[in-house]
Amino acid sequence: MSKKLSTTDAPVKDAAVPMVKAEGVHKSFGHVDVLKGIDLEVRTGEVFCLIGPSGSGKSTFLRCINHLEKINAGRLYVDGELVGYRQKGDKLYELKDSEVALKRRDIGMVFQRFNLFPHMTAVENVMEAPVQVKGVSRAKARERAMQLLERVGLGDKAGNYPSQLSGGQQQRVAIARALAMDPKLMLFDEPTSALDPELVGDVLDVMRDLAESGMTMVVVTHEMGFAREVGDSLVFMDGGVVVESGNPRQVLTDPQHERTKSFLSKVL
Amino acid sequence: MTADIDKTTGPADTPPAGPEAIKAVPVRHYGRYVTAVVALALLVGVVYAFSQGKINWATIPDYFFDDRILSGLGKTLLLTLLAMAIGIVGGILLAVMRLSKNPVTSSIAWFYIWFFRGTPVLVQLIVWFNLGLVFEYINLGPFYKDEWSDFMTPFLTALLGLGLNEAAYMAEICRAGLLAVDEGQTEASHALGMSHAKTLRRIVIPQAMRVIVPPTGNEVINMLKTTSLVSVVQYPELLRAAQDIGQTSGAPAEMLFLAAAWYLLVTSLFSVGQYYIERHYAKGTTRQLPPTPWQKVKASTFSFGRPKGGTA
């Protein structure tokens, strides 16, 4: 499989290196091509929004960034390093599971369905990875977890199990859980799609704060208001390709492409 | 959104100042009385028949706490617990192997389960007992060397025979449990940088336990009774002890009833234990844990009758 990947020069790491760089990324499930050559760059510190109809491949692309999915062709870099592979000369070597896990520490992910650990309380959810992965002491991890829960406005819910929290509260715990690993990049996979409309605002507020603090964020979303307000770049995907990209305020108000126009006319 | 879910405030003490409560004649369930009477009559009939049979009931209390019976019971319990321990540990191991991406380990697990589930446990016990036909000596280099027949005591035969067979069944139960955990849990754990092993140990297995425990309780109770088979490899467990006494005391049938009573007693105790283990693993899955029987008793004793306005 690695033969199919075209070989390019290994990038040199410096300050101008984009946080995420995709070059002709292809992904297929069996015979279904989900991504058909994605090229894009996410600059460090920006909020990068991915929009598009369901099945357009935006979630799949997001999952490729932390190697939950393997790409079939092209190149994907996070902070200047190849995702899932090591390049020596013009040959690619698959990374071991432990090496993949090491890289995932730096990439936080928030899921549509929250995926909190139901057998742990909110604070235990947030503590789990620092304790188990980084070997932080439980006392320190708990202290940090409490700070993060305060930050997402849930300091008083630390002892609650996920089943005792509303969807919006669960998603905010999930964000705190991802932040506990001090990631340099946060991935959001439709973080508000499973929420009641009245709970969406709380989660978006937390994300807005996070964006203001300078976190690099890639956000798959249907919240056009959020994209317009907080987004620095926006990409509209359809059928596994990038149809249109640019400044969100420009793309959302004055789309150039026919497909973008018809999509936006339905969701706005 | 900020409702206190922990404190389920019971029915309100003050009756609602609404319209007058409905007082209606409840539907009479005559069928219930009829079935109760029929069932009771049948029970009395059966008890009467047994009491009039040629069974000397008085011998049962005489031997109920006989040393041989108690020693047999102890051996039965020991065998049950150790065989289940082998079964559970082996079962989890086999289930993880079976679900592994590694084709070698998953094939080994498949083969093991295929073999040990496909042959009767009685046959396996006898084969273990007679394995001296194949291996004359057991030789673990400098550590241990002995003739097979001396090494394979009845206890070890029974333990291996039951435990290894049980592992095959437990493997399927554990596999079902592991598969029942949402894939999103594994993804979330991997996304946090946790390894496969940590994900299994910290995230997947604790959640799988909720599915694994009830059928495992079943297996424990089954195992308790299956231990009676090991009398064929000369291990003096409860049934064998009862039969031995039966032959010498001239009350064979009575001793079988005695053994049955002990089995019933122990399985009842196991069921209580199972309830508490299930309760432990229900943590986080329900908003409030179900009360223990003792809590129920306390609640009903100190609340003086039915709660008012019982529209729960």
Side-chain angles (χ1 to χ4, degrees), chain A residues 63 66 68 97 101 104-105 107 109 111 115-120 128-129 132-133 138 157 160-161 163-166 169 172 177-178 181 199 202, chain B residues 1-6 101 182-196 198 201-204 206-207 283-288:
Chain A
R63 293 159 58 81
N66 67 353
L68 283 179
D97 286 346
R104 283 184 182 139
R105 289 182 183 194
I107 306 175
M109 185 159 192
F111 299 85
N115 294 349
L116 287 182
F117 306 134
H119 57 303
M120 300 180 184
E128 181 67 9
Q132 295 297 326
V133 179
R138 289 192 71 81
K157 299 286 179 190
N160 287 30
Y161 285 100
S163 61
Q164 298 167 328
L165 298 172
S166 74
Q169 291 170 337
R172 285 185 279 154
R177 178 176 71 175
M181 291 297 282
L199 303 179
D202 292 338
Chain B
M1 200 164 87
T2 50
D4 272 327
I5 302 157
D6 280 17
K101 283 186 292 186
D182 181 34
E183 184 126 21
Q185 294 290 311
T186 309
E187 278 186 358
S189 173
H190 282 169
L192 286 166
M194 288 171 74
S195 64
H196 278 310
K198 282 229 168 87
R201 193 164 57 78
R202 297 281 311 169
I203 308 300
V204 178
Q207 294 182 59
K283 222 172 35 173
T285 55
T286 48
R287 295 188 171 181
Q288 201 174 25

Side-chain angles (χ1 to χ4, degrees), chain A residues 172-183:
Chain A
R172 285 185 279 154
V173 173
I175 293 173
R177 178 176 71 175
L179 290 176
M181 291 297 282
D182 297 314

Side-chain angles (χ1 to χ4, degrees), chain A:
Chain A
M1 188 180 292
S2 54
K3 283 273 170 62
K4 270 172 78 180
L5 295 157
S6 66
T7 53
T8 50
D9 301 330
V12 188
K13 198 176 171 181
D14 62 58
V17 167
M19 184 56 81
V20 179
K21 186 175 184 198
E23 296 171 348
V25 169
H26 278 78
K27 169 72 191 171
S28 56
F29 294 108
H31 295 297
V32 184
D33 293 327
V34 182
L35 300 177
K36 303 169 186 165
I38 303 289
D39 295 281
L40 54 79
E41 269 189 34
V42 180
R43 290 182 316 252
T44 302
E46 79 170 337
V47 175
F48 190 97
C49 296
L50 282 166
I51 63 167
S54 53
S56 59
K58 50 195 192 318
S59 284
T60 303
F61 178 71
L62 196 74
R63 293 159 58 81
C64 289
I65 295 176
N66 67 353
H67 208 49
L68 283 179
E69 305 288 353
K70 272 187 187 172
I71 64 175
N72 299 115
R75 283 287 194 280
L76 190 52
Y77 302 94
V78 170
D79 206 10
E81 289 178 28
L82 264 182
V83 174
Y85 302 93
R86 186 189 307 110
Q87 186 158 9
K88 269 190 195 159
D90 57 355
K91 250 190 178 164
L92 286 183
Y93 296 86
E94 262 186 51
L95 292 185
K96 285 186 285 189
D97 286 346
S98 56
E99 294 169 310
V100 173
L102 201 63
K103 294 200 170 183
R104 283 184 182 139
R105 289 182 183 194
D106 297 333
I107 306 175
M109 185 159 192
V110 175
F111 299 85
Q112 183 178 0
R113 304 282 335 166
F114 328 136
N115 294 349
L116 287 182
F117 306 134
H119 57 303
M120 300 180 184
T121 59
V123 70
E124 285 167 352
N125 264 279
V126 181
M127 290 163 61
E128 181 67 9
V131 171
Q132 295 297 326
V133 179
K134 285 189 172 169
V136 178
S137 75
R138 289 192 71 81
K140 273 198 176 150
R142 180 175 292 272
E143 198 182 318
R144 179 80 207 292
M146 287 306 298
Q147 287 170 4
L148 287 166
L149 287 175
E150 294 287 350
R151 184 172 166 189
V152 299
L154 292 172
D156 56 331
K157 299 286 179 190
N160 287 30
Y161 285 100
S163 61
Q164 298 167 328
L165 298 172
S166 74
Q169 291 170 337
Q170 288 189 51
Q171 192 61 297
R172 285 185 279 154
V173 173
I175 293 173
R177 178 176 71 175
L179 290 176
M181 291 297 282
D182 297 314
K184 57 189 179 192
L185 168 66
M186 284 282 284
L187 309 175
F188 291 85
D189 188 3
E190 301 195 26
T192 56
S193 296
L195 298 178
D196 290 342
E198 57 168 348
L199 303 179
V200 169
D202 292 338
V203 173
L204 292 182
D205 284 345
V206 168
M207 290 170 65
R208 198 171 289 126
D209 281 352
L210 198 56
E212 277 163 17
S213 75
M215 176 65 73
T216 313
M217 295 161 63
V218 181
V219 184
V220 172
T221 189
H222 293 296
E223 295 292 330
M224 299 304 155
F226 176 84
R228 183 167 20 213
E229 235 182 280
V230 184
D232 297 304
S233 307
L234 179 136
V235 154
F236 172 71
M237 281 178 68
D238 189 26
V241 294
V242 172
V243 176
E244 192 165 348
S245 63
N247 182 301
R249 285 156 288 276
Q250 207 168 358
V251 177
L252 291 174
T253 44
D254 182 24
Q256 300 300 308
H257 206 278
E258 216 38 59
R259 186 68 192 90
T260 319
K261 281 180 195 167
S262 82
F263 173 76
L264 289 176
S265 71
K266 281 177 203 148
V267 297
L268 284 179

